[in-house]
């Protein structure tokens, strides 16, 4: 039984039993999305933001083959160290568990493990999606299939234009994943408030988003809901600058023949190097903003 593989911290078990809001957080953003030591501070601070909204944070990871729901400060340090920490997608999970290894969970595996624990809302930075050049490379993040099938609402700041955002939205449409944009209909591009694409619907309050999520699952429609929450104005970056940086990073990845699971971490690190840390500050702030929104949506759900 899957319960035999799960370790849920007592505080989270209690909150779930009492119907209190719980927000899941991923660990790939810590281990592979941000540099040390900023990532360790981020991992602690983002939990604090969820608490300050009256919800309980549940950072998820695989440690020595156990599916951890809720990490101790030592666990968070371990994930932040990034040493010998795999990036775990759906296909990797059985091997890591069987071999008792340690890995950081992506959007995919965070959704899977959150669903096993009964957590309905998850906050992250950006989701994976259809990569540019996917018609030839077939590189489509497993995150999209997870959103298609697993009942967890994911609050993000859209996705980076390292992806083909138009094709990512087409894929979500095909698999019946509602894309709700908070306070706008414009689908955001992570560091930037606009991607040039629109989501399906605008929701102006956490209660509206919660009502859509409740309605989907009440009707027995399985799968996730994607909530796109634009980066706050004061942290938004200039789209012309960012697109240039991202285009260059994508070209460099091609030159170095980087592909598969390494491409997203490669591009993230490259963007951070080229923008000299501005992008890291924006990344941290947009993730805080999503954590806050996720806590409010979780509180508004039944
Ligand atoms: N996009 C980001 N930051 C991230 C990721 C994606 O802007 O940290 C991470 C997430 O964990 C996401 C994963 O689930 O990368 C997607 O990887 P891939 O493209 O290999 O599926
Ligand atoms: Mn991929």
């Amino acid at each position: 039984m899957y319960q035999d593989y799960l370790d849920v911290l007592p505080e989270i078990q209690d909150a779930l039993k009492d119907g209190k809001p719980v927000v899941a957080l991923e660990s790939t953003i810590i281990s592979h999305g941000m540099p040390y030591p900023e990532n360790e501070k981020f991992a602690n601070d983002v939990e604090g933001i969820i608490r300050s909204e009256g919800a309980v944070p549940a950072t998820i990871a695989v440690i020595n083959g156990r599916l951890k729901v809720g990490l101790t400060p030592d666990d968070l340090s371990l994930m932040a160290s990034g040493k010998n920490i795999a990036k775990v997608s759906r296909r990797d999970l059985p091997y890591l568990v069987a071999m008792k290894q340690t890995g950081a969970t992506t959007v995919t595996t965070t959704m899977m493990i959150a669903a096993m624990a009964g957590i309905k809302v998850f906050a992250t930075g950006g989701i994976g999606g259809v990569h540019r050049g996917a018609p030839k490379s077939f590189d489509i993040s497993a995150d999209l299939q997870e959103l298609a099938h697993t009942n967890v609402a994911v609050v993000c700041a859209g996705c980076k234009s390292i992806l083909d955002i138009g094709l990512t939205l087409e894929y979500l449409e095909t698999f019946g994943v509602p894309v709700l944009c908070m306070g706008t209909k414009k689908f955001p591009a992570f560091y930037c408030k606009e991607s040039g694409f629109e989501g399906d619907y605008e929701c102006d309050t956490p209660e509206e988003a919660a009502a859509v999520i409740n309605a989907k699952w009440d009707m027995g429609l399985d799968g996730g809901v994607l909530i796109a929450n634009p980066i706050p104005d004061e942290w938004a970056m200039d789209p012309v600058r960012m697109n240039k940086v991202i285009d260059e990073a994508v070209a460099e990845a091609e030159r170095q023949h980087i592909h598969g699971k390494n491409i997203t971490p490669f591009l993230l690190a490259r963007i951070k190097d080229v923008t000299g840390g501005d992008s890291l500050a924006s990344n941290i702030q947009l993730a805080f903003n999503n954590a806050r929104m996720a806590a409010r949506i979780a509180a508004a759900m039944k």
Side-chain angles (χ1 to χ4, degrees):
M1 269 192 351
Y2 70 80
Q3 285 89 342
D4 297 341
Y5 295 82
L6 272 181
D7 290 334
V8 184
L9 284 186
E11 183 195 8
I12 298 169
Q13 278 181 26
D14 290 346
L16 290 168
K17 211 167 53 221
D18 298 343
K20 294 205 182 114
V22 177
V23 175
L25 295 162
E26 63 159 301
S27 43
T28 288
I29 191 174
I30 304 170
S31 303
H32 303 288
M34 291 179 189
Y36 181 83
E38 288 90 340
N39 59 351
E40 187 169 357
K41 181 167 174 8
F42 164 79
N44 285 287
D45 290 352
V46 72
E47 291 203 350
I49 286 178
I50 290 170
R51 286 186 193 286
S52 71
E53 291 289 333
V56 177
T59 306
I60 290 177
V62 182
I63 299 183
N64 299 328
R66 301 291 302 168
L67 309 182
K68 296 281 181 191
V69 178
L71 300 187
T72 64
D74 282 351
D75 294 337
L76 288 176
S77 289
L78 172 71
M79 300 319 287
S81 76
K83 287 192 193 107
N84 295 320
I85 293 183
K87 174 179 159 191
V88 193
S89 192
R90 179 176 264 268
R91 58 122 188 244
D92 307 298
L93 202 53
Y95 186 88
L96 263 91
V97 166
M99 299 300 154
K100 304 197 174 0
Q101 292 181 4
T102 295
T105 53
T106 61
V107 168
T108 299
T109 38
T110 306
M111 287 180 75
M112 290 169 67
I113 297 168
M116 289 180 199
I119 301 172
K120 295 176 179 156
V121 181
F122 160 29
T124 185
I127 59 159
V130 180
H131 277 265
R132 296 187 192 180
K136 238 174 131 180
S137 68
F138 270 46
D139 192 349
I140 299 174
S141 174
D143 293 354
L144 299 183
Q145 273 298 300
E146 212 57 49
L147 280 161
H149 299 300
T150 300
N151 296 8
V152 173
V154 180
V155 182
C156 67
C159 56
K160 289 198 180 75
S161 60
I162 59 174
L163 303 172
D164 187 319
I165 297 179
L167 293 187
T168 300
L169 291 169
E170 288 294 342
Y171 195 105
L172 291 169
E173 186 224 5
T174 301
F175 285 94
V177 180
V179 177
L180 311 178
C181 300
M182 297 308 300
T184 174
K185 210 173 161 207
K186 291 177 177 153
F187 186 76
F190 201 81
Y191 305 114
C192 306
K193 293 189 84 86
E194 298 180 18
S195 63
F197 294 90
E198 289 196 336
D200 302 323
Y201 299 99
E202 172 177 340
C203 286
D204 291 323
T205 61
E207 288 72 23
E208 280 184 17
V212 178
I213 300 163
N214 284 334
K216 180 171 182 183
W217 296 336
D218 274 349
M219 290 186 284
L221 305 178
D222 279 336
V225 173
L226 189 67
I227 293 122
N229 189 33
I231 185 170
D233 287 333
E234 57 273 36
W235 297 101
M237 297 182 74
D238 172 34
V240 176
R241 175 186 179 205
M242 283 320 286
N243 282 334
K244 188 160 167 278
V245 170
I246 289 170
D247 287 348
E248 281 166 11
V250 171
E252 185 58 29
E254 271 170 34
R255 269 194 297 278
Q256 294 191 28
H257 304 291
I258 313 266
H259 46 77
K261 69 194 287 183
N262 297 324
I263 193 154
T264 301
F266 175 88
L267 294 172
L268 300 184
R270 191 92 191 164
I271 293 164
K272 194 220 139 219
D273 288 348
V274 175
T275 56
D278 291 1
S279 65
L280 177 61
S282 289
N283 192 346
I284 290 170
Q285 293 298 326
L286 67 82
F288 287 166
N289 190 48
N290 296 341
R292 211 171 289 122
M293 180 60 75
R296 291 176 189 171
I297 292 172
M301 283 176 63
K302 56 178 186 191

